[in-house]
Amino acid sequence: MNNEITERYLSKLEQLEFKFKLHVQNNNEIYIELEDSSKLIEFCNVLKLEINLRLLTMIYCDERKTNHKFSLRYLFGSDTDDVFFFVVIFIDKKHAYFPSLSDVFPSSIKYEREINDMFGIQTQGDTTLKPLLLHDFQKNIFPLRKDFHANTELNYTPRKFEFTPITGEGICEIPVGPIHAGIIEPGHFRFSVLGENIVNMETRLGYTHKGIEKIAESMSINDAVFLSERISGDESIANSMAFCQAIEKITQLEIPEKAKQIRLLFAELERIYNHFGTLSGILNDIGFSYGASRLEILKEYMMQLNEKLSGSRLLFGVNQIGGVKVDISNTALANIHSMLDSIFQNFEKILEHIQSNSSVIDRLRNTGIIEKQTVNDLGIVGLSSICTGIDTDTRKIHPYGHYSSINFEQTPRVNMEQQVKLQKRIGDVLSRFMSRVDELRYSKKLIESISNLETGKINIPFESILTPFSSGLGYAESHRGETLHWIMIGEDNSIFRYKIRTASFANWPIIEHAVLNNIVSDFPVINKSFDFSYSGNDL
Amino acid sequence: MTENNQNKIEKSNILSWKKVTLDKILQSNDIIPENFRGKISLDPDKDFVLNSQIGKNLENICPTNAISYKTDPESISLNVGKCIFCGNCQQETPGLIKISNNFDMAKKRKSQLLEIFPESIPFGKTYEEIGNELKNKINKTFGRSLAIREIDAGSCNGCEIEISALTNPIYDIEQFGMHFVASPRHADLLLVTGPASKNMEKALKIAYDSTPEPKLVIAVGACACSGGIFGKNYATTGGIDSIVPVDVFIPGCPPRPQALIYGIMMALNKIRS
């Protein structure tokens, strides 16, 4: 089935007036190598306008040892079909710059800043890129280059970071962070306000940068599963699943059906407890502590259920290459169903209280509105995009694991799309709140769709020796959205390059647009309604 | 005994009776007859062996189902709260169940009313027990309230989830006199998570310096203790003790809420000694 879609896109590509080499790998990954790399921007524009693709990520790779060149892979994806496009260009190590795609895809700026930080390669003609991840590091340190060792001791050298100055009569700046008032992760926000209204907001992240992509290169594949779980603690299943699937794709390892079912169960359980947490956080930030506490209790119940099933409250240590480590019996499955029933009965009652409380709805409605056009331009994914009617559900577009045997015709996201069309939902905090509620109900449905677990093994041993420099793309839908992991294998089953693009990395830029013209005191609730992970962004 | 008591009453004049004061009740046992069915407990003789026959008999004989017998592992439990002190069980198996004429049976918590034989491997203290012990210590050391500031120095947000779970209605640490504050300037104790990323080094130092004395620092989670899976690399410092002095280390990835308050108690012990 996949091959048909791929064939269709290949024939579309061949009609274009560009010269390139094509090859397909892992069923749905089309690699395009342009013969004339100066035509890259033109080509990407055609991809955007004629084939309706959006930029997913940019993967830079130091291949100087094998190729004497750096390589850059632009990853594009379709919003409707299960197909990925890699546009590959090679960059000479002497002329270390590459063309900027920001005119065609504004979302590329963040990736370009990342590449500038980690590889020291700049975009053509532009020298004003601000640092993203490295703050007070020595100059000319490029961690992801191969000649840099992960354990290098670096001295503290203050570097100046200049926020865009906003001037005018009555405008003042409010710096917030990196340590915030609540129990959340670190990040700096610089507000420029006129009275109470936010005129401009600039984020500076990178405080939790731990060098995950670099230290993965010195780990064995089995150990790296644990690392992938700790990219963002609350997305442990989604991230480890994407990583395992990428490796399984490269080795062409077909995992047992039961393992697929268990992965789906845990992925949805993870989504449920996190959505409860976020809904509770939104209510807490607007001062409705009754609802917040009630939902916190449900979150705690879900975490206790997680612990009973897997031994970890955050579902660490469930996935492994070739399957799962945790077995679920049919009696345990029945327990999950009955537990979810009672939790959701409770939830619907609480929701009734919340929705009938006009002071809650007043605070949520018309707060933090984002436009569909902005969402499209910035390449926003997951729940942050569905609240404006753009559906990027990886489970549906690129079905993986057990999701491929689920009928997606009745999804809540279609519901939200209709609501947006009818202008009942306008991309505000309320619409994000409601799309989370829909997601919760839908996750329950997905879990209920598994009424009986297959018999058989839950994992198959991973022993094969991988071909050096083969690569694969793993993907999963975390509760924040599309998660992409691209892995290139090195010699002796090592990891040559591990590129992680979490939904948080793609989604952070939207907050700067969502807060405009809102009052400063609404910032926490707007921020919480998106529910970004700082650690998943900074890596 | 009973005769003695009656004699006493006959001899004494009612008006000249001494008041029955509290300490007198506790001191003198002589007005409680020996055959009063008071404190009931599971106190097996040395040669007592539990088998399913005894267990089932006891279960049947108890009118209020205060005794229950479980196989796998074989154990018998007695819920003193349910007991109506009929004494049937003592008659049935005098080798296991002992009834004395003591009355000091009141317990602070319902869970303490349950006795189990053979005692399972001690589970340690319950969340509430640790919490209440902690509350007493906080009362003495910090004048009834302990202000905590949480600092994320590069964690994966797993530890944050567990720390914020402490404030939910189930763990509710405010019942023990602890609360989270918004600024290190208001804090007595810093809970620091994460492998201390290089980018947070400066902020962590500033936060530590602005915390007033006496201050405590707790390293929460494997990352804060040693760098965890991230270790020490170009972007991390390999544990927060390389940046600020640490009083207590709480291992775990992430440590569960019970472990967190246990660690906080350890830190308070330190400040008292």
Side-chain angles (χ1 to χ4, degrees), chain B residues 111-168:
Chain B
S111 58
Q112 293 170 341
L113 294 173
L114 192 73
E115 288 188 28
I116 297 173
F117 168 79
E119 263 183 83
S120 48
I121 304 147
F123 166 69
K125 290 171 185 164
T126 63
Y127 178 76
E128 288 209 328
E129 278 167 350
I130 305 173
N132 280 310
E133 212 173 302
L134 184 51
K135 188 180 179 180
N136 292 334
K137 283 188 180 139
I138 291 171
N139 284 351
K140 283 178 194 156
T141 336
F142 278 100
R144 295 188 186 176
S145 93
L146 179 71
I148 304 173
R149 172 67 246 172
E150 192 269 344
I151 297 173
D152 179 332
S155 101
C156 73
N157 83 24
C159 293
E160 272 64 44
I161 288 180
E162 294 296 45
I163 291 173
S164 56
L166 279 177
T167 61
N168 75 19

Short mmCIF file of all heavy atoms in Angstrom, two decimals, chain B residues 111-168:
data_model
loop_
_atom_site.label_atom_id
_atom_site.label_comp_id
_atom_site.label_asym_id
_atom_site.label_seq_id
_atom_site.Cartn_x
_atom_site.Cartn_y
_atom_site.Cartn_z
N SER B 111 -4.65 2.48 60.20
CA SER B 111 -3.82 1.40 59.67
C SER B 111 -3.07 0.67 60.79
O SER B 111 -2.72 -0.50 60.67
CB SER B 111 -2.81 1.97 58.67
OG SER B 111 -2.03 2.95 59.29
N GLN B 112 -2.84 1.38 61.92
CA GLN B 112 -2.12 0.74 63.02
C GLN B 112 -2.98 -0.26 63.78
O GLN B 112 -2.50 -0.99 64.64
CB GLN B 112 -1.60 1.82 63.99
CG GLN B 112 -0.54 2.69 63.36
CD GLN B 112 -0.21 3.90 64.22
OE1 GLN B 112 -0.99 4.28 65.08
NE2 GLN B 112 0.93 4.49 63.96
N LEU B 113 -4.29 -0.26 63.51
CA LEU B 113 -5.18 -1.20 64.19
C LEU B 113 -5.06 -2.61 63.62
O LEU B 113 -5.62 -3.55 64.15
CB LEU B 113 -6.63 -0.73 64.08
CG LEU B 113 -6.97 0.58 64.80
CD1 LEU B 113 -8.38 1.01 64.48
CD2 LEU B 113 -6.83 0.40 66.30
N LEU B 114 -4.37 -2.73 62.52
CA LEU B 114 -4.29 -4.03 61.86
C LEU B 114 -3.01 -4.75 62.28
O LEU B 114 -1.92 -4.20 62.18
CB LEU B 114 -4.29 -3.82 60.34
CG LEU B 114 -4.50 -5.07 59.51
CD1 LEU B 114 -5.94 -5.53 59.59
CD2 LEU B 114 -4.13 -4.80 58.06
N GLU B 115 -3.18 -5.98 62.79
CA GLU B 115 -2.01 -6.79 63.15
C GLU B 115 -1.93 -7.98 62.21
O GLU B 115 -2.94 -8.57 61.88
CB GLU B 115 -2.11 -7.27 64.59
CG GLU B 115 -1.90 -6.17 65.60
CD GLU B 115 -1.80 -6.73 67.01
OE1 GLU B 115 -1.38 -7.90 67.16
OE2 GLU B 115 -2.16 -6.00 67.94
N ILE B 116 -0.73 -8.33 61.83
CA ILE B 116 -0.56 -9.43 60.89
C ILE B 116 0.47 -10.42 61.42
O ILE B 116 1.50 -10.02 61.97
CB ILE B 116 -0.12 -8.91 59.50
CG1 ILE B 116 -1.20 -8.00 58.92
CG2 ILE B 116 0.13 -10.06 58.54
CD1 ILE B 116 -0.83 -7.30 57.65
N PHE B 117 0.16 -11.72 61.32
CA PHE B 117 1.15 -12.76 61.68
C PHE B 117 1.27 -13.74 60.51
O PHE B 117 0.25 -14.17 59.99
CB PHE B 117 0.72 -13.50 62.93
CG PHE B 117 1.53 -14.74 63.17
CD1 PHE B 117 2.80 -14.64 63.72
CD2 PHE B 117 1.05 -16.00 62.79
CE1 PHE B 117 3.55 -15.77 63.92
CE2 PHE B 117 1.81 -17.14 62.99
CZ PHE B 117 3.07 -17.02 63.56
N PRO B 118 2.39 -14.22 60.06
CA PRO B 118 3.68 -13.66 60.45
C PRO B 118 3.86 -12.29 59.83
O PRO B 118 3.40 -12.05 58.72
CB PRO B 118 4.67 -14.66 59.89
CG PRO B 118 3.94 -15.34 58.80
CD PRO B 118 2.50 -15.30 59.12
N GLU B 119 4.57 -11.42 60.52
CA GLU B 119 4.72 -10.06 60.01
C GLU B 119 5.47 -10.09 58.69
O GLU B 119 6.50 -10.75 58.58
CB GLU B 119 5.50 -9.21 61.02
CG GLU B 119 4.57 -8.41 61.91
CD GLU B 119 5.34 -7.53 62.84
OE1 GLU B 119 5.73 -6.44 62.39
OE2 GLU B 119 5.55 -7.94 63.99
N SER B 120 4.92 -9.39 57.73
CA SER B 120 5.61 -9.35 56.44
C SER B 120 6.88 -8.52 56.61
O SER B 120 7.05 -7.82 57.59
CB SER B 120 4.69 -8.75 55.40
OG SER B 120 4.13 -7.58 55.91
N ILE B 121 7.70 -8.62 55.62
CA ILE B 121 8.95 -7.86 55.65
C ILE B 121 8.62 -6.38 55.83
O ILE B 121 7.78 -5.85 55.11
CB ILE B 121 9.72 -8.04 54.33
CG1 ILE B 121 9.94 -9.53 54.08
CG2 ILE B 121 11.04 -7.30 54.35
CD1 ILE B 121 9.93 -9.92 52.64
N PRO B 122 9.23 -5.75 56.84
CA PRO B 122 8.81 -4.38 57.12
C PRO B 122 8.90 -3.50 55.89
O PRO B 122 9.93 -3.42 55.22
CB PRO B 122 9.79 -3.93 58.21
CG PRO B 122 10.83 -4.97 58.29
CD PRO B 122 10.26 -6.22 57.75
N PHE B 123 7.82 -2.86 55.55
CA PHE B 123 7.70 -2.07 54.35
C PHE B 123 8.34 -0.71 54.55
O PHE B 123 8.49 0.07 53.64
CB PHE B 123 6.22 -1.94 54.01
CG PHE B 123 5.89 -0.92 53.00
CD1 PHE B 123 6.27 -1.11 51.68
CD2 PHE B 123 5.23 0.23 53.34
CE1 PHE B 123 5.98 -0.16 50.73
CE2 PHE B 123 4.94 1.18 52.40
CZ PHE B 123 5.31 0.98 51.10
N GLY B 124 8.78 -0.44 55.77
CA GLY B 124 9.25 0.89 56.06
C GLY B 124 8.07 1.70 56.52
O GLY B 124 7.02 1.15 56.82
N LYS B 125 8.26 2.99 56.60
CA LYS B 125 7.18 3.80 57.12
C LYS B 125 6.25 4.24 56.01
O LYS B 125 6.65 4.33 54.86
CB LYS B 125 7.76 5.01 57.82
CG LYS B 125 8.47 4.64 59.09
CD LYS B 125 9.22 5.82 59.64
CE LYS B 125 10.03 5.40 60.84
NZ LYS B 125 11.04 6.39 61.17
N THR B 126 5.01 4.51 56.36
CA THR B 126 4.09 5.00 55.36
C THR B 126 4.37 6.47 55.11
O THR B 126 5.08 7.13 55.87
CB THR B 126 2.64 4.85 55.82
OG1 THR B 126 2.48 5.66 56.98
CG2 THR B 126 2.31 3.42 56.16
N TYR B 127 3.76 6.97 54.05
CA TYR B 127 3.96 8.36 53.68
C TYR B 127 3.56 9.28 54.83
O TYR B 127 4.25 10.22 55.17
CB TYR B 127 3.11 8.66 52.44
CG TYR B 127 3.18 10.07 51.97
CD1 TYR B 127 4.29 10.52 51.28
CD2 TYR B 127 2.15 10.97 52.21
CE1 TYR B 127 4.36 11.82 50.84
CE2 TYR B 127 2.21 12.27 51.78
CZ TYR B 127 3.31 12.68 51.09
OH TYR B 127 3.39 13.98 50.66
N GLU B 128 2.41 8.95 55.47
CA GLU B 128 1.92 9.82 56.54
C GLU B 128 2.82 9.76 57.76
O GLU B 128 3.01 10.76 58.45
CB GLU B 128 0.50 9.42 56.91
CG GLU B 128 -0.48 9.80 55.85
CD GLU B 128 -1.85 10.08 56.42
OE1 GLU B 128 -2.17 9.43 57.43
OE2 GLU B 128 -2.55 10.92 55.86
N GLU B 129 3.36 8.58 58.05
CA GLU B 129 4.24 8.46 59.21
C GLU B 129 5.48 9.33 59.03
O GLU B 129 5.86 10.09 59.92
CB GLU B 129 4.62 7.00 59.44
CG GLU B 129 3.56 6.24 60.18
CD GLU B 129 3.81 4.74 60.13
OE1 GLU B 129 4.69 4.30 59.37
OE2 GLU B 129 3.09 4.03 60.84
N ILE B 130 6.10 9.21 57.85
CA ILE B 130 7.28 10.03 57.59
C ILE B 130 6.89 11.50 57.67
O ILE B 130 7.58 12.32 58.27
CB ILE B 130 7.89 9.74 56.21
CG1 ILE B 130 8.20 8.27 56.05
CG2 ILE B 130 9.15 10.55 56.00
CD1 ILE B 130 8.64 7.90 54.66
N GLY B 131 5.75 11.80 57.05
CA GLY B 131 5.31 13.19 57.00
C GLY B 131 5.11 13.78 58.37
O GLY B 131 5.53 14.90 58.65
N ASN B 132 4.49 13.00 59.27
CA ASN B 132 4.22 13.54 60.60
C ASN B 132 5.50 13.68 61.41
O ASN B 132 5.66 14.64 62.17
CB ASN B 132 3.22 12.65 61.32
CG ASN B 132 1.81 12.96 60.86
OD1 ASN B 132 1.42 14.12 60.84
ND2 ASN B 132 1.08 11.95 60.45
N GLU B 133 6.40 12.72 61.23
CA GLU B 133 7.70 12.84 61.89
C GLU B 133 8.39 14.13 61.43
O GLU B 133 8.95 14.88 62.22
CB GLU B 133 8.55 11.63 61.51
CG GLU B 133 9.50 11.16 62.58
CD GLU B 133 10.15 9.86 62.15
OE1 GLU B 133 9.41 8.88 61.89
OE2 GLU B 133 11.37 9.85 62.04
N LEU B 134 8.27 14.33 60.12
CA LEU B 134 8.88 15.52 59.52
C LEU B 134 8.25 16.78 60.07
O LEU B 134 8.93 17.77 60.37
CB LEU B 134 8.70 15.41 58.01
CG LEU B 134 9.32 16.46 57.12
CD1 LEU B 134 10.77 16.63 57.47
CD2 LEU B 134 9.19 16.04 55.68
N LYS B 135 6.94 16.73 60.24
CA LYS B 135 6.21 17.90 60.73
C LYS B 135 6.73 18.29 62.11
O LYS B 135 6.96 19.46 62.39
CB LYS B 135 4.73 17.54 60.80
CG LYS B 135 3.82 18.69 61.11
CD LYS B 135 2.39 18.18 61.14
CE LYS B 135 1.41 19.28 61.48
NZ LYS B 135 0.05 18.75 61.50
N ASN B 136 6.95 17.29 62.96
CA ASN B 136 7.46 17.58 64.30
C ASN B 136 8.81 18.26 64.22
O ASN B 136 9.10 19.21 64.95
CB ASN B 136 7.59 16.29 65.12
CG ASN B 136 6.23 15.72 65.41
OD1 ASN B 136 5.24 16.45 65.44
ND2 ASN B 136 6.16 14.41 65.60
N LYS B 137 9.64 17.75 63.32
CA LYS B 137 10.97 18.33 63.20
C LYS B 137 10.90 19.75 62.68
O LYS B 137 11.65 20.62 63.13
CB LYS B 137 11.82 17.48 62.26
CG LYS B 137 12.30 16.25 62.98
CD LYS B 137 13.28 15.46 62.20
CE LYS B 137 13.67 14.26 63.04
NZ LYS B 137 13.79 13.05 62.28
N ILE B 138 10.01 19.97 61.72
CA ILE B 138 9.87 21.32 61.16
C ILE B 138 9.39 22.27 62.25
O ILE B 138 9.87 23.39 62.39
CB ILE B 138 8.90 21.32 59.97
CG1 ILE B 138 9.52 20.58 58.80
CG2 ILE B 138 8.56 22.73 59.55
CD1 ILE B 138 8.56 20.33 57.67
N ASN B 139 8.46 21.80 63.08
CA ASN B 139 7.96 22.63 64.17
C ASN B 139 9.08 23.09 65.07
O ASN B 139 9.13 24.23 65.49
CB ASN B 139 6.95 21.83 65.01
CG ASN B 139 5.62 21.71 64.30
OD1 ASN B 139 5.40 22.36 63.28
ND2 ASN B 139 4.75 20.89 64.82
N LYS B 140 10.01 22.18 65.36
CA LYS B 140 11.09 22.53 66.28
C LYS B 140 12.13 23.41 65.60
O LYS B 140 12.60 24.37 66.19
CB LYS B 140 11.77 21.25 66.78
CG LYS B 140 10.94 20.57 67.86
CD LYS B 140 11.63 19.29 68.29
CE LYS B 140 10.67 18.43 69.09
NZ LYS B 140 11.04 17.02 69.05
N THR B 141 12.51 23.07 64.36
CA THR B 141 13.65 23.73 63.75
C THR B 141 13.29 25.01 63.02
O THR B 141 14.00 26.00 63.12
CB THR B 141 14.34 22.79 62.75
OG1 THR B 141 14.05 21.46 63.11
CG2 THR B 141 15.81 23.02 62.73
N PHE B 142 12.22 24.98 62.25
CA PHE B 142 11.95 26.11 61.37
C PHE B 142 10.68 26.86 61.77
O PHE B 142 10.08 27.52 60.93
CB PHE B 142 11.86 25.66 59.92
CG PHE B 142 13.18 25.52 59.26
CD1 PHE B 142 13.77 24.27 59.13
CD2 PHE B 142 13.85 26.63 58.78
CE1 PHE B 142 15.01 24.14 58.52
CE2 PHE B 142 15.09 26.50 58.19
CZ PHE B 142 15.67 25.26 58.06
N GLY B 143 10.26 26.72 63.02
CA GLY B 143 9.10 27.48 63.45
C GLY B 143 7.86 27.17 62.64
O GLY B 143 7.21 28.05 62.10
N ARG B 144 7.54 25.93 62.51
CA ARG B 144 6.28 25.43 61.94
C ARG B 144 6.14 25.55 60.44
O ARG B 144 5.11 25.20 59.89
CB ARG B 144 5.07 26.13 62.58
CG ARG B 144 4.97 25.79 64.03
CD ARG B 144 3.71 26.30 64.56
NE ARG B 144 3.68 26.11 66.00
CZ ARG B 144 2.71 26.53 66.77
NH1 ARG B 144 1.69 27.15 66.23
NH2 ARG B 144 2.75 26.31 68.04
N SER B 145 7.12 26.08 59.75
CA SER B 145 6.94 26.06 58.30
C SER B 145 8.28 25.96 57.62
O SER B 145 9.25 26.59 58.04
CB SER B 145 6.20 27.30 57.83
OG SER B 145 7.10 28.30 57.47
N LEU B 146 8.32 25.14 56.59
CA LEU B 146 9.55 24.97 55.83
C LEU B 146 9.25 25.46 54.41
O LEU B 146 8.36 24.96 53.75
CB LEU B 146 9.96 23.50 55.81
CG LEU B 146 11.22 23.16 55.03
CD1 LEU B 146 12.44 23.69 55.75
CD2 LEU B 146 11.34 21.67 54.84
N ALA B 147 10.01 26.46 53.98
CA ALA B 147 9.78 27.02 52.64
C ALA B 147 10.77 26.39 51.67
O ALA B 147 11.97 26.40 51.90
CB ALA B 147 9.94 28.52 52.68
N ILE B 148 10.22 25.81 50.60
CA ILE B 148 11.05 25.08 49.64
C ILE B 148 11.05 25.80 48.30
O ILE B 148 10.01 26.26 47.82
CB ILE B 148 10.51 23.65 49.44
CG1 ILE B 148 10.42 22.92 50.77
CG2 ILE B 148 11.40 22.87 48.49
CD1 ILE B 148 9.75 21.58 50.66
N ARG B 149 12.21 25.88 47.69
CA ARG B 149 12.31 26.42 46.33
C ARG B 149 12.86 25.32 45.44
O ARG B 149 13.87 24.71 45.77
CB ARG B 149 13.23 27.64 46.34
CG ARG B 149 13.61 28.24 45.02
CD ARG B 149 12.45 28.87 44.32
NE ARG B 149 12.20 28.11 43.10
CZ ARG B 149 11.15 28.28 42.31
NH1 ARG B 149 10.24 29.15 42.59
NH2 ARG B 149 11.01 27.56 41.24
N GLU B 150 12.18 25.08 44.34
CA GLU B 150 12.64 24.04 43.42
C GLU B 150 13.41 24.70 42.29
O GLU B 150 12.97 25.70 41.73
CB GLU B 150 11.43 23.28 42.87
CG GLU B 150 11.78 22.01 42.15
CD GLU B 150 12.00 22.21 40.67
OE1 GLU B 150 11.61 23.24 40.12
OE2 GLU B 150 12.60 21.32 40.06
N ILE B 151 14.58 24.18 41.99
CA ILE B 151 15.38 24.72 40.88
C ILE B 151 15.70 23.59 39.91
O ILE B 151 16.23 22.55 40.29
CB ILE B 151 16.69 25.35 41.38
CG1 ILE B 151 16.38 26.54 42.29
CG2 ILE B 151 17.54 25.80 40.22
CD1 ILE B 151 17.58 27.11 42.95
N ASP B 152 15.33 23.81 38.66
CA ASP B 152 15.64 22.85 37.62
C ASP B 152 16.96 23.26 37.00
O ASP B 152 17.06 24.30 36.36
CB ASP B 152 14.51 22.88 36.57
CG ASP B 152 14.77 21.91 35.43
OD1 ASP B 152 15.95 21.65 35.14
OD2 ASP B 152 13.81 21.45 34.82
N ALA B 153 17.99 22.45 37.19
CA ALA B 153 19.28 22.75 36.59
C ALA B 153 19.53 21.80 35.43
O ALA B 153 20.57 21.16 35.35
CB ALA B 153 20.38 22.65 37.63
N GLY B 154 18.54 21.69 34.54
CA GLY B 154 18.73 20.90 33.33
C GLY B 154 18.13 19.52 33.38
O GLY B 154 18.59 18.63 32.69
N SER B 155 17.11 19.31 34.20
CA SER B 155 16.54 17.95 34.27
C SER B 155 15.66 17.67 33.06
O SER B 155 15.35 18.57 32.28
CB SER B 155 15.73 17.78 35.55
OG SER B 155 14.37 17.91 35.28
N CYS B 156 15.25 16.41 32.93
CA CYS B 156 14.43 16.02 31.78
C CYS B 156 12.96 16.27 32.06
O CYS B 156 12.12 15.84 31.30
CB CYS B 156 14.65 14.56 31.43
SG CYS B 156 13.89 13.43 32.60
N ASN B 157 12.61 16.87 33.16
CA ASN B 157 11.29 17.21 33.68
C ASN B 157 10.58 16.03 34.34
O ASN B 157 9.46 16.17 34.81
CB ASN B 157 10.40 17.96 32.68
CG ASN B 157 9.64 17.09 31.67
OD1 ASN B 157 9.38 15.92 31.90
ND2 ASN B 157 9.28 17.68 30.57
N GLY B 158 11.24 14.88 34.44
CA GLY B 158 10.67 13.76 35.20
C GLY B 158 10.62 14.07 36.68
O GLY B 158 9.60 13.87 37.34
N CYS B 159 11.72 14.62 37.20
CA CYS B 159 11.77 14.97 38.63
C CYS B 159 10.77 16.08 38.95
O CYS B 159 10.17 16.09 40.02
CB CYS B 159 13.17 15.42 39.03
SG CYS B 159 14.38 14.11 38.94
N GLU B 160 10.56 17.00 37.99
CA GLU B 160 9.59 18.08 38.22
C GLU B 160 8.19 17.51 38.39
O GLU B 160 7.41 17.99 39.20
CB GLU B 160 9.58 19.06 37.04
CG GLU B 160 10.58 20.17 37.15
CD GLU B 160 11.98 19.68 37.16
OE1 GLU B 160 12.30 18.80 36.34
OE2 GLU B 160 12.76 20.11 38.01
N ILE B 161 7.89 16.48 37.60
CA ILE B 161 6.56 15.89 37.69
C ILE B 161 6.35 15.30 39.08
O ILE B 161 5.30 15.48 39.70
CB ILE B 161 6.39 14.81 36.61
CG1 ILE B 161 6.26 15.49 35.25
CG2 ILE B 161 5.18 13.95 36.87
CD1 ILE B 161 6.09 14.56 34.11
N GLU B 162 7.38 14.64 39.62
CA GLU B 162 7.23 14.04 40.94
C GLU B 162 7.21 15.10 42.03
O GLU B 162 6.49 14.96 43.01
CB GLU B 162 8.37 13.04 41.19
CG GLU B 162 8.33 11.81 40.29
CD GLU B 162 7.09 10.94 40.51
OE1 GLU B 162 5.99 11.49 40.61
OE2 GLU B 162 7.22 9.71 40.54
N ILE B 163 7.99 16.17 41.85
CA ILE B 163 7.98 17.22 42.87
C ILE B 163 6.63 17.94 42.86
O ILE B 163 6.07 18.23 43.91
CB ILE B 163 9.14 18.20 42.65
CG1 ILE B 163 10.47 17.50 42.95
CG2 ILE B 163 9.00 19.42 43.54
CD1 ILE B 163 11.68 18.30 42.62
N SER B 164 6.09 18.18 41.65
CA SER B 164 4.80 18.86 41.66
C SER B 164 3.69 17.91 42.12
O SER B 164 2.66 18.37 42.59
CB SER B 164 4.49 19.48 40.30
OG SER B 164 4.55 18.51 39.30
N ALA B 165 3.93 16.58 42.04
CA ALA B 165 2.95 15.64 42.59
C ALA B 165 2.85 15.78 44.10
O ALA B 165 1.81 15.48 44.69
CB ALA B 165 3.31 14.21 42.22
N LEU B 166 3.93 16.26 44.74
CA LEU B 166 3.89 16.47 46.19
C LEU B 166 2.82 17.46 46.59
O LEU B 166 2.31 17.42 47.70
CB LEU B 166 5.25 17.00 46.68
CG LEU B 166 6.37 16.00 46.91
CD1 LEU B 166 7.62 16.74 47.30
CD2 LEU B 166 6.00 15.03 47.98
N THR B 167 2.49 18.39 45.68
CA THR B 167 1.52 19.41 46.04
C THR B 167 0.09 19.00 45.70
O THR B 167 -0.83 19.74 45.97
CB THR B 167 1.82 20.73 45.31
OG1 THR B 167 1.75 20.49 43.91
CG2 THR B 167 3.19 21.25 45.65
N ASN B 168 -0.10 17.82 45.10
CA ASN B 168 -1.47 17.45 44.73
C ASN B 168 -2.25 16.99 45.95
O ASN B 168 -1.68 16.75 47.01
CB ASN B 168 -1.47 16.43 43.57
CG ASN B 168 -1.08 15.03 43.99
OD1 ASN B 168 -1.14 14.69 45.16
ND2 ASN B 168 -0.70 14.22 43.05
#
